[in-house]
Amino acid sequence: MRTGARLPVVLRGYDRKQVDGLLRRVSQALNGGPPMSADDVRKTRFDVVMRGYEPHAVDRLVRECILELQARGPIPERPGRPRVQPAWLINWIQSARFSGSGLRTGYDVRDVDAFLDRVIAGLRGVAPPMSARDVRESAFRVVRFGPGYDEKEVDRFLVQLAGALERR
């Protein structure tokens, strides 16, 4: 995650001190500091001021922060929460479909498909099993021209997959 990113300044945008403060707290939480949840980030609102950060760029970065906090946060145990069966999980992974990235950058189709094949092989017992941590730490090449999957869709799926692997 790029909390140290340089954000563009515009005539009217989000208060820079407020945005910088949130990004500093998120960075600290991700590096062992005071905890912060994805909900804490979602509830944050910024004042619009003169010479502030460009709102769309901040919103994209905040979404990345939320995904990162969700990926690293524990999944709470709830009574009656069903355990995920490997056969169901294999079927769910195999039926996953991602939109193409179109003219935007996207994750390399071959990398994502190969990774999911390794997860399935681990669930079948023919390869070392993949942990939720392995899924959270996965990284894929980004392609500009060529077959690519929509990055947000893949990231959302991987958060769900990590959660399902924790419930096995």
Side-chain angles (χ1 to χ4, degrees):
M1 202 199 52
R2 41 179 212 134
T3 55
R6 294 196 58 133
L7 294 163
V9 175
V10 294
L11 183 62
R12 291 187 47 78
Y14 290 153
D15 185 290
R16 293 189 289 181
K17 288 182 183 175
Q18 292 173 350
V19 172
D20 290 342
L22 173 70
L23 295 177
R24 188 173 30 263
R25 290 192 318 272
V26 167
S27 180
Q28 290 170 349
L30 292 172
N31 293 305
M36 181 173 215
S37 72
D39 286 335
D40 295 335
V41 176
R42 275 190 205 93
K43 292 175 188 173
T44 303
R45 298 291 176 259
F46 304 113
D47 296 329
V48 176
V49 297
M50 298 298 285
R51 304 282 305 143
Y53 287 136
E54 200 273 317
H56 293 298
V58 172
D59 292 342
R60 279 191 302 274
L61 186 56
V62 167
R63 278 193 297 275
E64 287 179 31
C65 292
I66 289 170
L67 283 173
E68 187 72 22
L69 287 167
Q70 284 176 331
R72 293 193 184 189
I75 293 185
E77 287 299 321
R78 288 183 258 158
R81 187 175 193 158
R83 296 190 73 72
V84 177
Q85 300 300 317
W88 180 88
L89 196 50
I90 290 168
N91 187 43
W92 178 64
I93 294 168
Q94 288 175 328
S95 64
R97 299 289 177 263
F98 306 110
S99 300
S101 58
L103 297 176
R104 300 180 317 267
T105 60
Y107 290 140
D108 188 297
V109 168
R110 294 166 300 209
D111 287 356
V112 175
D113 290 346
F115 178 77
L116 294 177
D117 288 343
R118 285 195 309 275
V119 173
I120 290 170
L123 290 167
R124 288 186 173 142
V126 296
M130 300 286 276
S131 68
R133 183 178 183 171
D134 295 330
V135 172
R136 287 189 182 105
E137 293 177 353
S138 61
F140 309 106
R141 286 179 294 184
V142 175
V143 295
R144 292 191 190 284
F145 304 106
Y149 288 137
D150 182 272
E151 294 176 27
K152 290 178 186 171
E153 284 182 31
V154 172
D155 290 339
R156 272 193 302 270
F157 179 79
L158 293 176
V159 167
Q160 293 173 341
L161 178 57
L165 288 173
E166 286 180 338
R167 294 192 312 270
R168 286 189 56 234

